[in-house]
C-alpha cells in the first residue's frame, strides 16, 4: 500500500491529487493549519477509498512548523510520496503597500517550501526510496512586473528542486518539480471570470500523480504551459517590456 504525506493538504490542487491517491487506497498523512478544513478534507478522502487518514494540525509559516510537519509524517513509518503544496499569493499591489506582506510571501513560498522539500528529501534518502513532489510555478520561469516577488520565490523552489535531483541521481529517490499555470483554486478566486483561462485543479492533479508515478523531474501543467513559457523566456527584453504580463 502507498503512503502519501502532504504538507498543505487543504490546498485546492493538493485535495484533487489526494482524491486520486485515495482512490488507489493509499494511506494518507495530512498536514494543514486549519483543523476544521482539514477534518472536512480527511472525511472526504475516507469516503473516496483512503485506507487511513492521519491529520496533523500545524502552521507551516515557520521553520519550526515545517520541521515538526516533516517529523510528524515520518514518525509513523516510511512514506512513499511527499507532496509539498502550501503557498500564498497576495497581489503585487498588497506587497507594494506593506513590506511584511512581501516578506511573508517570499518566506512562505520560497525558503519554507525549500526547507520542507529539503527536510523531506533527507528522510527519503535515509529510508532509501520514495518520491518528493514540490509545487513551483510557471511564474518562476521569468520575472514579470505583475508578480515578480511570487515568481522569485518559485524560482528558488526550482533551483532547490534541481539541486535535490542532482543529489538523488542514481538512487531510488525521485524529485518532481511541478509547474502549474493559472489554476482554479481559492488562491486564484480573484481571477475567476477574467480573461485568463484557469485550468481545473483536477487536470493539474492528474498530471502531478502521473509525473510522480513516472519519477519525472519537471512537469508543466497543463502541458501547453511548457510551450508558452519557452516563448516567454525567449522573448527579447525590449519586446517583453512592452507587454503587460
Ligand atoms: N492556483 C494557481 O494558479 C497556482 C499556479 C501555480 C502554482 N501554484 C502553487 O500550488 C500550490 C497550491 O496552491 P493552490 O492553488 O492549491 O492554492 P490554495 O488552495 O490557496 O492552497 C494554498 C494552501 O497553502 C496553505 N498555507 C498557506 N500558508 C500556510 C501556512 N502558513 N501554514 C499551513 N498552510 C498554509 C493554505 O492553507 P489554508 O487553507 O489554511 O489557507 C492552503 O491549503 C502553491 O504552492 C501555489 O503557489 C498555484
Amino acid at each position: 500500500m502507498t503512503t502519501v504525506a502532504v504538507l498543505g493538504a487543504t490546498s485546492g490542487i493538493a485535495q484533487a491529487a489526494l482524491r486520486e491517491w485515495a482512490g488507489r487506497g493509499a494511506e494518507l498523512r495530512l498536514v494543514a493549519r486549519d483543523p476544521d478544513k482539514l477534518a472536512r478534507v480527511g472525511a472526504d478522502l475516507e469516503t473516496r477509498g483512503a485506507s487511513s487518514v492521519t491529520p496533523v494540525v500545524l502552521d507551516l509559516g515557520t521553520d519550526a512548523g515545517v520541521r515538526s510537519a516533516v517529523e510528524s509524517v515520518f514518525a509513523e513509518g516510511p512514506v512513499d510520496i511527499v507532496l509539498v503544496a502550501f503557498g500564498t499569493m497576495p497581489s503585487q499591489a498588497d506587497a507594494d503597500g506593506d513590506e511584511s506582506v512581501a516578506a511573508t510571501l517570499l518566506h512562505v513560498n520560497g525558503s519554507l517550501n525549500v526547507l520542507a522539500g529539503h527536510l523531506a528529501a533527507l528522510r527519503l534518502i535515509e529510508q532509501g526510496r520514495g518520491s518528493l513532489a514540490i509545487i513551483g510555478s510557471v511564474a518562476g520561469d521569468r520575472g514579470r512586473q505583475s508578480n515578480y516577488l511570487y515568481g522569485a520565490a518559485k524560482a528558488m523552489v526550482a533551483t532547490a528542486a534541481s539541486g535535490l535531483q542532482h543529489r538523488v541521481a542514481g538512487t531510488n529517490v525521485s524529485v518532481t518539480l511541478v509547474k502549474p499555470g493559472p489554476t482554479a483554486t481559492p488562491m486564484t478566486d480573484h481571477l475567476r471570470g477574467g480573461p485568463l483561462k484557469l485550468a481545473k485543479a483536477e487536470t493539474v492533479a492528474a498530471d502531478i500523480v502521473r509525473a510522480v508515478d513516472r519519477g519525472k523531474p519537471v512537469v508543466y501543467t497543463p502541458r501547453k504551459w511548457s510551450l508558452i513559457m519557452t516563448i516567454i523566456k525567449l522573448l527579447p527584453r525590449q519586446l517583453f517590456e512592452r507587454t503587460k504580463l
Side-chain angles (χ1 to χ4, degrees), residues 8 10-14 33-34 37 58-61 85-88 108-109 135-137 150 154 180-183 185-188:
T10 54
S11 116
I13 291 174
R33 62 182 166 184
D34 181 329
K37 225 192 264 185
L58 278 171
D59 191 317
L60 298 166
F86 64 99
T88 169
V108 171
N109 295 304
I135 307 186
S137 170
Y150 178 79
K154 292 299 191 180
T183 306
T185 68
M187 185 175 278
T188 52

Side-chain angles (χ1 to χ4, degrees), residues 89-97 105 144-150:
M89 194 177 65
S91 70
Q92 185 80 39
D94 286 348
D96 285 349
L105 181 171
R144 291 176 287 115
Q145 47 105 24
S146 58
N147 76 344
Y148 57 85
L149 294 174
Y150 178 79

Side-chain angles (χ1 to χ4, degrees), residues 32-174:
R33 62 182 166 184
D34 181 329
D36 296 337
K37 225 192 264 185
L38 183 55
R40 280 198 299 277
V41 169
D44 171 65
L45 294 168
E46 273 166 349
T47 66
R48 290 170 190 271
S51 64
S52 68
V53 176
T54 306
V56 179
V57 177
L58 278 171
D59 191 317
L60 298 166
T62 64
D63 54 355
V66 168
R67 196 187 56 236
S68 298
V70 175
E71 276 170 6
S72 301
V73 296
F74 281 87
E76 292 185 32
V79 177
D80 299 297
I81 299 168
V82 180
L83 173 65
V84 177
F86 64 99
T88 169
M89 194 177 65
S91 70
Q92 185 80 39
D94 286 348
D96 285 349
D98 182 345
E99 73 281 357
S100 72
V101 171
T104 302
L105 181 171
L106 288 165
H107 191 45
V108 171
N109 295 304
S111 16
L112 292 177
N113 262 259
V114 169
L115 183 67
H118 165 69
L119 294 178
L122 291 182
R123 294 302 188 110
L124 296 177
I125 291 167
E126 198 177 295
Q127 70 183 24
R129 64 182 175 82
S131 305
L132 168 69
I134 185 160
I135 307 186
S137 170
V138 295
D141 280 7
R142 186 166 190 179
R144 291 176 287 115
Q145 47 105 24
S146 58
N147 76 344
Y148 57 85
L149 294 174
Y150 178 79
K154 292 299 191 180
M156 185 180 180
V157 170
T159 302
S162 159
L164 283 171
Q165 285 159 359
H166 193 183
R167 186 167 182 174
V168 301
T171 74
N172 289 324
V173 176
S174 67

